[in-house]
Amino acid sequence: MYDVSVDRSSRIITVRMEGWMTPDIAIEPGIAKEAAVMQLGPPYDDHCSIVDVRDLRVHPQDVIALFVRFVAATKHKSCRIAIVVGQGTAKMQFRRVVNEEIRRDNIEIFEGIERATDWLNKPVAPRA
């Protein structure tokens, strides 16, 4: 269903979700991601996330709403979020969610882990 891993050296938390999730299970990745942030230690908002949904099936809106809450309203927000999608309808569903519901400028969609990781590891340009 889901797995969370932490790369301490790069401060990247990877949340991999697959298959089918009920609403009861769909809230768990967000809770596990917050626990991973606590494992990293302070500064808590100084981390990036990969959300790997390549093998996640298309879900009803109530489950997708839990995903939106997990990404947009988490207590310790990621500096950048790379969403790794597969092909087909699930890809379109997540692209719509990112573009229409989450609307954060620090989220990108990728089709592979390597490109997502490269983007997360690039230095952030200072704001003018």
Side-chain angles (χ1 to χ4, degrees):
M1 296 279 184
Y2 73 93
D3 178 64
V4 177
S5 60
V6 177
D7 181 334
R8 289 186 178 283
S9 63
S10 63
R11 295 188 65 83
I12 294 176
I13 297 169
T14 301
V15 180
R16 185 173 184 274
M17 297 183 283
E18 62 185 11
W20 181 259
M21 293 188 181
T22 63
D24 291 343
I25 294 171
I27 63 169
E28 293 177 11
I31 295 167
K33 187 263 182 184
E34 284 298 312
V37 171
M38 299 313 287
Q39 273 184 340
L40 279 175
Y44 295 111
D45 293 335
D46 182 27
H47 68 279
C48 294
S49 295
I50 294 174
V51 180
D52 182 352
V53 293
R54 289 177 293 179
D55 297 320
L56 191 66
R57 294 175 43 201
V58 173
H59 279 72
Q61 193 57 39
D62 60 336
V63 173
I64 295 302
L66 294 170
F67 169 79
V68 170
R69 187 172 355 141
F70 150 53
V71 172
T74 186
K75 181 177 179 181
H76 298 293
K77 291 184 175 37
S78 302
C79 296
R80 290 185 189 166
I81 301 170
I83 299 176
V84 182
V85 296
Q87 297 298 317
T89 308
K91 176 182 177 179
M92 292 186 300
Q93 185 177 41
F94 278 94
R95 186 172 304 282
R96 182 193 60 75
V97 166
V98 168
N99 292 334
E100 296 175 16
E101 295 183 40
I102 297 176
R103 293 187 292 249
R104 285 177 56 187
D105 60 359
N106 62 344
I107 297 177
E108 292 288 332
I109 295 177
F110 298 90
E111 293 184 8
I113 292 286
E114 187 175 316
R115 290 188 67 208
T117 304
D118 289 347
W119 178 71
L120 292 176
N121 284 321
K122 284 183 183 176
V124 178
R127 292 184 179 213

